[in-house]
């Protein structure tokens, strides 16, 4: 090797430059540059933030206004990290007035480590108000990473007021779609909840921890950048252009993360994914991104490891009412807002977006409407890029490798998800199996358990307010003191006639906590007869039902509406306002023990039916717990679910399925005041409703209102309830797909609970829920009302598709004197019959056929009403229908009345085709059209009301079944005389 003076001098100079620059880096943390930060002034200082106004001396009128929001772990200087080539510099040169929200560092701000998520959202909200007032213009709200999440959340919180558009950079919305390494969401969710509850609230996340965490996300890139810096340390001119950016990433740009804010993030947006589903909570107010209606531009980094593309694109589904656009760049998370890619592409596109919003320029081709993203199991992380590169080199094995990877990934994920479902179901089933007659279990006890387990967790939502477990239990305890002060004691039967509201839930739970029995009455029902039937002496009423309740002459306890509302009736000895009682002044008696209810004891009394069919149904604590845990298991309810209770509490579906299932599953409960389709459409998004409960034809009103057109995005995954007709079932799944229907059947007498868990067979009641009573179907003669026996005298089990009586195995200690059965299949066995007839298909699924007392006894034999109702409801034109027996001489005719959906027409041939699914002997003799079919308070079509309106009359809308032609034909006067026996 030859040496010369020039090479030696060059090497020495390079060595000296390296030493000199290295010493400067060691002493000052980096190289001194001539770059100056863009000028700004702090125009507002608050406890939570400082509001910067960049280039304050520029007073050009009429400029568009941008408010930029940084993420929590990054310094607000991120918007100016490249000086003239940074965000505020480029946007200012483009004629945009820039304002920046600076949250500061929790380590240096007063109370910084106690900040939660809502503090930051409200800070951005306040900053927007300040900027709007100062400029007189709406703002373009921009946010990077979590700052973009704040932009979405704040705009939704404000219902869009003052926000012209939203621009985000690498801001994830759908956490499920962006799981790292394709991990199952359930597993990540559980880890996130554990961290939120037990780690981040106790361990402050300092700036050094944040810096280390980000560097560990891509250690290869971090090491490469440091090696490149060292290799170029001798060349100062090459390093200076990127020096501010390097110092920002290596040291200056990171700030700590307050534990409460991190816990909120993990709980609401990772564990519960509420950015997508809706229902995230800001200061007790539920919010949904469905409130967003302004245009949105989301920048997507194709190689972003943090804001993964699938997660970022979730905004198009989370904000169905907004126009959503995207700009996709080949950039990582930081490169979207800083560096050469941001300088050349991001900020010029933002400027063009604002020009387009102002109507001055066309939309650039790089910005396009966002399309719904199909989730992938392989996120664009550094690890997968390495794997992909290796696979590309090994072309021959690439296809096989990817196939095996997919199979393995899906298998592992599916196994973990199934294990998660089992982990939730097994404790519930185990607890059900452990319940004995003397076991203490009740509604009040389960609510108290939730309060002890997680006092700050949301329990229910009502009128856009969120109530925690602790707050609800405090309210229940206060009501308990009020009730005790007016003489309520354990085992007393107390009527409850209230609209669906928090006070109704508190009343029922308080009675349970005392050990008293709630007699649940429907508002507007036959109160006098119900009171006489149940023997109650005291009624709890809300102000809305006070006048009706007082008219019964019983003692009234008024609850609800606060202590400042006015009552329709003056207070007296028989009208007591519980809200006026000071609970702290009530001395609890020595006999009081909270939640004393035993499994065998009576908990609730339901009053069903009308007129002479008014009946009482008795529900023990064990029966309630059976339905509660059975529902939670069948519907796989957990903390991530929000259950929307359309079914009223006085209906068995509301009490047993809605309230019971949600509490047993630990889910949030959203209480609906009434069935209002428009309000339903708003609250489903705002509350993040995942499960909707129903009774009978309740969903018909929502479907007819078209508040959710087919294909409209929504968070609902499941409808649960009882009594939904088959045709309405299909309409529901078509309009709300991929949500499914989970239909329950629960006998009042005995412990029989059936559930159609798969939801495949519309109208089917399904199979017995694990942990509930064993069921059998015994042969039954509906005419003589006797169980059919075999040669040995024991009951004969039904064959497949044979109609029989459904019976359930009686538990030990059950009183069989009131309708129970012994010696059914073996000597001494004990069973409780239900009131219903069923058939069991070849798959083992049960189908309701009729009630024992509504079977039509015709000349040709018994005709069952439910199959008639099912086939008629499946006709597109049919709205509602009832089937009943019409006396005609010495016999009865099977008659069906139908109402027609608006805009549709029903022809006799439609009925003929529909009933071909029935045996000819099971087809109705007459089908006729009525203008309207009234419904009960539980939305069940009222057969009694149709019968009271009069007999079917001859005419073009009444058809009779001609057995000779096997078709339905118009009923004429002559045929009516022959069939109906009329003149």
């Amino acid at each position: 090797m030859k040496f010369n003076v020039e090479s030696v001098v060059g090497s020495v100079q390079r060595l000296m430059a390296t030493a000199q620059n290295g010493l400067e880096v060691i002493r000052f943390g980096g190289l001194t540059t001539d770059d100056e930060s863009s000028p700004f002034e702090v125009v507002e200082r608050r406890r939570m933030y400082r509001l910067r106004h960049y280039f304050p001396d520029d007073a050009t009128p009429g400029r568009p206004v941008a408010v930029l929001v940084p993420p929590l772990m990054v310094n607000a200087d991120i918007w100016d990290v490249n000086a003239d080539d940074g965000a505020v510099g480029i946007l200012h040169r483009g004629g945009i007035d820039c304002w920046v929200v600076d949250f500061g560092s929790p380590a240096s701000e007063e109370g910084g480590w106690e900040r939660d998520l809502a503090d930051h959202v409200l800070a951005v909200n306040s900053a927007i108000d300040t900027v709007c007032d100062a400029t007189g213009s709406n703002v373009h709200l921009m946010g990077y990473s979590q700052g973009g999440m704040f932009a979405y959340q704040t705009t939704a919180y404000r219902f869009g007021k003052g926000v012209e558009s939203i621009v985000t950079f690498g801001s994830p919305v759908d956490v499920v779609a962006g799981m790292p390494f394709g991990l199952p969401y359930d597993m990540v969710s559980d880890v996130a909840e554990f961290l939120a509850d037990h780690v981040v609230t106790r361990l402050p996340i300092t700036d050094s921890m944040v810096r280390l965490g980000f560097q560990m996300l891509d250690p290869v890139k971090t090491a490469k950048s440091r090696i490149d810096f060292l290799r170029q340390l001798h060349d100062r001119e090459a390093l200076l252009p990127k020096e501010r950016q390097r110092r920002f990433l290596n040291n200056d740009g990171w700030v700590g993360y307050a534990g409460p804010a991190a816990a909120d993030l993990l709980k609401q947006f990772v564990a519960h994914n509420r950015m997508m589903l809706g229902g995230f909570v800001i200061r007790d107010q539920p919010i949904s991104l469905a409130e967003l209606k302004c245009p949105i531009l989301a920048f997507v980094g194709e190689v972003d490891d943090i804001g993964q593309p699938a997660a970022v694109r979730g905004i198009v589904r989370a904000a169905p009412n907004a126009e959503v656009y995207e700009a996709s760049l080949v950039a990582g998370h930081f490169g979207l807002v800083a560096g050469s890619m941001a300088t050349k592409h991001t900020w010029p596109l933002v400027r063009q977006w604002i020009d387009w919003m102002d109507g001055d320029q066309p939309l650039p081709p790089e910005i396009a409407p966002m399309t719904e993203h199909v989730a992938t199991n392989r996120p664009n992380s550094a690890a997968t890029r390495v794997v992909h590169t290796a696979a590309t080199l090994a072309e021959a094995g690439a296809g096989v490798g990817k196939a095996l990877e997919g199979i393995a990934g899906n298998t592992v994920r599916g196994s973990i998800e199934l294990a998660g479902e089992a982990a939730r179901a097994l404790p519930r089933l185990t607890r059900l199996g452990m319940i004995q007659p003397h076991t203490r279990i009740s509604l009040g006890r389960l609510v108290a358990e939730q309060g002890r387990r997680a006092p700050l967790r949301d329990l229910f939502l009502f009128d856009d307010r969120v109530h925690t477990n602790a707050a609800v239990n405090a309210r229940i305890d206060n009501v308990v003191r009020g009730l005790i002060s007016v003489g309520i004691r354990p085992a007393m039967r107390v009527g409850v006639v209230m609209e669906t509201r928090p006070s109704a839930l508190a009343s029922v739970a308080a009675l349970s906590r005392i050990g008293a029995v709630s007699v649940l009455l429907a508002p507007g029902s036959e109160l006098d007869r119900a009171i006489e039937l149940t023997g109650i002496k005291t009624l709890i009423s809300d102000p809305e039902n006070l006048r009706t309740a007082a008219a019964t002459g019983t003692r009234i306890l008024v609850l609800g509406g606060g202590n400042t509302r006015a009552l329709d009736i003056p207070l007296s000895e028989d009208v007591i306002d519980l809200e006026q009682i000071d609970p702290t002044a009530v001395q609890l008696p020595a006999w009081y023990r909270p939640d004393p209810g035993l499994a065998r004891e009576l908990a609730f009394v339901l009053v069903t039916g009308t007129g002479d069919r008014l009946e009482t149904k008795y529900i023990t604590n064990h029966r309630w717990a059976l339905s509660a845990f059975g529902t939670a298991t069948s519907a796989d309810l957990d903390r991530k679910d929000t259950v929307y209770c359309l079914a009223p509490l006085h209906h068995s579906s509301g009490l047993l399925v809605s309230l019971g299932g949600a509490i047993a599953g630990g889910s949030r409960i959203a209480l609906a005041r009434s069935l209002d389709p428009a309000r339903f459409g708003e609250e489903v998004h705002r509350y993040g409703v995942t499960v909707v409960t129903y009774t009978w034809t309740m969903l018909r009103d929502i479907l007819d209102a078209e508040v959710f057109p087919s294909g409209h995005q929504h968070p609902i995954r499941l409808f649960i309830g009882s009594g939904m007709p088959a045709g309405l079932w299909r309409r529901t799944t078509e309009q709300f797909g991929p949500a499914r229907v989970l239909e329950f059947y629960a006998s009042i007498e005995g412990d029989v609970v059936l559930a159609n868990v798969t939801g495949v067979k519309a109208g089917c009641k399904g199979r017995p829920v694990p942990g509930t009573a064993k069921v059998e179907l015994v042969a039954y003669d509906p005419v003589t009302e006797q169980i059919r026996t075999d040669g040995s005298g024991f009951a004969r089990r039904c064959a497949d598709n044979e109609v029989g009586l459904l019976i359930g195995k009686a538990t030990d200690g059950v009183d069989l004197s009131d309708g129970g059965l012994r010696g059914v299949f073996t000597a001494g066995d004990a069973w409780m019959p239900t009131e219903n007839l069923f058939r069991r298909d070849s798959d083992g699924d049960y189908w309701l056929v009729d009630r024992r007392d509504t079977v039509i006894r015709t000349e040709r034999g018994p005709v069952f009403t439910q199959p008639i109702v099912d086939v008629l409801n499946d006709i597109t034109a049919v709205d509602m229908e009832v089937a009943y027996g019409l006396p005609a001489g010495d016999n009865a005719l099977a008659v069906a009345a139908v109402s027609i959906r608006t805009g549709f027409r029903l022809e006799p041939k439609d009925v003929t085709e529909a009933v071909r699914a029935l045996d000819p002997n099971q087809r109705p003799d007459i089908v006729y059209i009525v203008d309207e079919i009234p419904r009960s308070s539980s939305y069940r079509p009222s057969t009694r009301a149709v019968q009271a309106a009069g007999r079917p009359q001859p005419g073009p809308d009444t058809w009779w079944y001609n057995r000779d032609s096997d078709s339905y034909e118009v009923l004429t006067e002559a045929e009516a005389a022959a069939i109906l026996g009329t003149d």
Side-chain angles (χ1 to χ4, degrees):
M1 180 179 294
K2 295 183 178 180
F3 293 92
N4 53 46
V5 174
E6 291 183 1
S7 64
V8 172
V9 170
S11 298
V12 172
Q13 289 177 338
R14 179 170 177 164
L15 181 61
M16 292 180 64
T18 300
Q20 182 178 356
N21 293 335
L23 182 61
E24 186 175 345
V25 170
I26 293 172
R27 292 183 61 191
F28 303 110
L31 302 176
T32 304
T33 67
D34 295 330
D35 293 336
E36 294 185 2
S37 300
S38 300
F40 69 86
E41 68 172 342
V42 177
V43 298
E44 184 176 51
R45 294 178 183 271
R46 296 280 183 93
R47 184 185 68 85
M48 272 301 304
Y49 70 96
R50 288 180 289 275
L51 182 60
R52 301 180 183 180
H53 184 202
Y54 277 82
F55 302 98
D57 295 334
D58 187 345
T60 305
R63 290 183 297 166
V65 180
V67 174
L68 297 95
V69 185
L72 290 191
M73 293 183 283
V74 178
N75 193 298
D77 291 336
I78 183 69
W79 304 114
D80 193 38
V81 70
N82 295 108
D84 288 344
D85 292 333
V88 294
I90 294 175
L91 294 180
H92 174 256
R93 290 196 298 275
I96 298 168
D97 188 11
C98 295
W99 302 67
V100 170
V101 178
D102 179 9
F103 296 119
S105 170
S108 57
E109 302 293 335
E110 182 181 357
W113 293 116
E114 282 74 46
R115 293 174 173 178
D116 60 15
L117 197 72
D119 288 328
H120 296 87
V121 173
L122 295 178
V124 177
N125 179 62
S126 176
I128 293 173
D129 286 337
T130 300
V131 174
C132 288
D133 291 343
T135 63
S137 301
N138 290 348
V139 306
H140 296 274
L141 188 58
M142 304 182 187
Y144 166 51
S145 193
Q146 193 178 357
M149 296 169 69
F150 288 149
Y152 291 138
Q153 294 156 10
T154 305
T155 306
Y157 179 79
R158 299 170 59 88
F159 298 100
K161 179 185 176 184
V163 179
E164 193 74 16
S165 76
I166 301 173
V167 183
T168 63
F169 311 90
S171 300
V173 174
D174 186 2
V175 177
V176 176
M179 286 290 101
F181 309 110
L183 293 173
Y185 171 61
D186 282 346
M187 184 180 75
V188 175
S189 170
D190 291 341
V191 172
E193 189 122 28
F194 175 82
L195 292 174
D197 288 336
H198 304 290
V199 179
V200 296
T201 52
R202 303 174 184 177
L203 179 67
I205 305 174
T206 63
D207 54 352
S208 58
M209 295 169 65
V210 170
R211 181 179 69 251
L212 181 62
F214 270 86
Q215 291 172 352
M216 289 178 63
L217 285 174
D218 199 343
V220 175
K221 185 175 180 179
T222 300
K224 181 179 181 300
S225 64
R226 293 187 176 181
I227 293 172
D228 289 344
F229 177 76
L230 292 175
R231 291 177 61 188
Q232 297 183 65
L233 194 56
H234 66 282
D235 190 348
R236 187 183 186 89
E237 298 304 316
L239 293 176
L240 285 180
K242 294 184 177 181
E243 179 59 12
R244 286 191 64 181
Q245 180 176 321
R246 186 194 69 82
R247 293 183 65 167
F248 189 90
L249 286 174
N250 281 358
N251 194 46
D252 301 341
W254 308 105
V255 295
Y257 204 134
D264 279 348
L265 175 76
L266 290 171
K267 277 192 174 183
Q268 295 208 60
F269 306 131
V270 178
H272 299 158
N273 201 26
R274 299 214 189 278
M275 282 282 281
M276 273 300 296
L277 299 177
F280 58 88
V281 179
I282 303 298
R283 289 292 181 267
D284 296 333
Q285 180 177 338
I287 304 295
S288 165
L289 298 192
E291 308 289 356
L292 300 178
K293 295 180 174 63
C294 64
I296 297 171
L297 171 61
F299 279 83
V300 180
E302 294 182 8
V303 289
D304 190 343
D305 300 328
I306 299 172
Q308 295 192 21
V312 173
R313 289 191 175 103
I315 185 61
V316 74
R317 286 172 286 136
N321 299 315
E323 294 181 28
V324 184
Y325 297 82
E326 73 167 81
S328 184
L329 303 177
V330 184
H333 196 62
F334 188 77
L336 283 174
V337 294
S340 58
M341 177 63 72
T343 299
K344 295 176 182 178
H345 297 280
T346 302
W347 302 117
L349 285 174
V350 172
R351 185 177 59 202
Q352 293 175 69
W353 164 263
I354 294 177
D355 290 341
W356 175 72
M357 285 290 301
D358 290 343
D360 297 336
Q361 300 292 333
L363 191 67
E366 294 89 347
I367 298 176
M370 183 179 286
T371 57
E372 186 168 346
H373 178 68
V374 178
T376 176
N377 295 333
R378 302 180 64 214
N380 246 332
S381 66
T384 55
R385 287 200 296 266
V386 172
V387 171
H388 177 69
T389 302
T392 303
L393 295 176
E395 293 180 3
V400 175
K402 288 180 182 178
L404 291 175
E405 176 193 11
I407 293 171
N410 290 333
T411 301
V412 171
R413 184 172 55 260
S415 299
I416 295 179
E417 289 172 352
L418 285 174
E421 290 184 17
R424 290 187 292 273
L426 286 176
R428 299 167 185 164
L429 296 177
T430 301
R431 185 168 185 177
L432 266 183
M434 294 173 62
I435 296 177
Q436 301 298 320
H438 60 274
T439 302
R440 287 181 61 185
I441 189 164
S442 63
L443 167 61
R445 188 174 183 83
L446 288 188
V447 174
E449 287 178 5
Q450 297 278 15
R452 288 191 295 270
R453 189 178 299 118
L456 299 182
R457 186 177 295 158
D458 304 339
L459 177 55
F460 69 82
L461 305 93
F462 181 75
D463 275 356
D464 294 338
R465 305 300 297 176
V466 178
H467 304 264
T468 64
N469 283 316
V472 172
N473 274 286
R475 170 67 168 168
I476 292 170
D477 288 337
N478 287 340
V479 175
V480 164
R481 288 174 176 268
L483 292 173
I484 289 176
S485 71
V486 296
I488 304 301
R489 296 178 64 90
M492 284 183 63
R493 296 188 183 184
V494 180
V496 179
V497 54
M498 305 179 79
E499 305 291 343
T500 301
R501 60 192 306 161
S503 295
L505 188 151
S507 299
V508 174
L511 290 171
S512 174
R513 187 153 293 176
I514 293 173
V517 178
S518 296
V519 181
L520 300 173
L521 306 173
S525 63
E526 303 170 71
L527 286 182
D528 287 313
R529 292 207 61 236
I531 290 171
E532 180 183 356
L533 189 64
T534 57
I536 57 178
K537 305 297 182 184
T538 303
L539 268 179
I540 301 177
S541 170
D542 54 17
E544 290 83 353
N545 291 284
L546 173 58
R547 187 172 294 277
T548 305
T552 63
T554 57
R555 186 173 68 144
I556 308 300
L557 309 178
V558 188
L559 187 69
N563 57 8
T564 60
R565 78 275 190 266
L567 300 179
D568 293 340
I569 295 176
L571 300 179
S572 64
E573 290 184 0
D574 292 329
V575 179
I576 302 171
D577 189 356
L578 292 179
E579 299 288 358
Q580 300 292 339
I581 298 174
D582 180 5
T584 60
V586 177
Q587 181 70 34
L588 290 175
W591 56 257
Y592 175 67
R593 295 290 185 274
D595 306 312
L598 303 180
R600 66 172 180 266
E601 294 176 343
L602 185 63
F604 308 100
V605 178
L606 299 180
V607 179
T608 62
T610 57
D612 57 1
R613 287 194 175 180
L614 205 63
E615 298 177 328
T616 55
K617 304 295 184 182
Y618 299 97
I619 301 174
T620 64
N621 283 310
H622 178 262
R623 179 69 185 78
W624 180 84
L626 194 72
S627 289
F629 286 104
T631 299
T633 302
S634 300
D636 192 27
L637 297 177
D638 62 14
R639 296 187 300 270
K640 294 188 286 293
D641 284 307
T642 299
V643 179
Y644 195 79
C645 294
L646 281 174
L649 291 180
H650 57 77
H651 188 274
S652 59
S653 182
L655 178 67
L656 304 178
V657 176
S658 304
L659 179 62
I663 290 177
S667 307
R668 301 197 306 182
I669 306 167
L671 297 176
R673 278 190 178 274
S674 60
L675 180 57
D676 181 345
R679 189 179 183 93
F680 171 83
E682 295 172 359
E683 291 182 340
V684 159
H685 283 298
R686 191 175 303 142
Y687 296 165
V689 173
T690 57
V691 178
V692 176
T693 65
Y694 65 84
T695 58
W696 297 98
T697 63
M698 185 175 279
L699 294 180
R700 165 252 198 189
D701 301 67
I702 293 171
L703 294 174
D704 288 349
E706 295 187 347
V707 291
F708 285 102
S710 183
H712 187 88
Q713 295 294 337
H714 60 81
I716 301 170
R717 69 174 181 88
L718 194 64
F719 293 89
I720 59 176
S722 61
M724 185 184 292
L728 186 61
W729 185 321
R730 291 190 176 90
R731 286 181 61 196
T732 300
T733 54
E734 287 170 2
Q735 188 161 326
F736 284 94
R740 58 188 177 86
V741 173
L742 175 55
E743 174 82 0
F744 278 93
Y745 166 84
S747 67
I748 298 298
E749 308 297 338
D751 297 332
V752 174
V753 181
L754 307 178
N756 186 343
V757 177
T758 63
V760 175
K761 300 176 181 178
C764 177
K765 302 303 179 185
R767 304 177 185 182
V769 172
T772 62
K774 177 184 177 183
V775 301
E776 288 286 358
L777 205 57
V778 295
Y780 181 78
D781 186 340
V783 176
T784 63
E785 300 183 4
Q786 296 295 316
I787 293 176
R788 290 172 174 162
T789 58
D790 57 20
S792 62
F794 290 119
R796 179 174 64 81
R797 289 181 171 89
C798 287
D800 288 347
N801 292 309
E802 179 185 0
V803 176
L805 177 66
L806 187 71
I807 62 175
K809 186 73 172 176
T811 56
D812 294 338
V814 171
D815 181 12
L816 298 178
S817 61
D818 187 17
L821 303 172
R822 277 204 183 276
V824 179
F825 301 113
T826 60
D829 63 353
W831 297 79
M832 287 297 294
T834 68
E835 65 274 21
N836 295 110
L837 305 178
F838 279 78
R839 69 176 177 86
R840 183 185 59 248
D841 64 22
S842 57
D843 296 326
D845 293 311
Y846 289 82
W847 297 76
L848 179 64
V849 172
D850 214 333
R851 279 176 57 104
R852 285 191 286 178
D853 58 353
T854 57
V855 175
I856 306 170
R857 294 163 176 83
T858 69
E859 185 180 24
R860 62 185 179 275
V863 175
F864 306 111
T865 59
Q866 190 62 42
I868 295 174
V869 167
D870 285 341
V871 296
L872 291 177
N873 190 260
D874 239 353
I875 302 174
T876 303
V878 171
D879 184 19
M880 289 187 291
E881 65 294 312
V882 294
Y884 61 92
L886 179 67
D890 296 332
N891 298 307
L893 297 175
V895 174
V898 298
S899 59
I900 308 303
R901 293 171 60 189
T902 303
F904 289 84
R905 180 174 176 79
L906 183 66
E907 300 289 347
K909 62 180 181 180
D910 301 324
V911 177
T912 299
E913 290 301 318
V915 301
R916 292 193 190 281
L918 301 177
D919 183 273
N921 287 332
Q922 291 296 317
R923 296 171 186 173
D925 297 297
I926 294 175
V927 176
Y928 68 106
I929 297 175
V930 296
D931 293 333
E932 182 183 10
I933 295 180
R935 294 180 291 177
S936 68
S937 60
S938 60
Y939 294 85
R940 182 175 188 172
S942 175
T943 303
R944 182 178 295 273
V946 173
Q947 290 174 302
R951 298 163 66 90
Q953 298 300 314
D957 291 336
T958 303
W959 311 304
W960 68 286
Y961 180 52
N962 187 334
R963 297 184 179 276
D964 294 331
S965 63
D966 194 27
S967 64
Y968 282 85
E969 301 173 359
V970 174
L971 183 68
T972 65
E973 294 284 353
E975 286 150 349
I979 298 173
L980 299 174
T982 59
D983 295 331

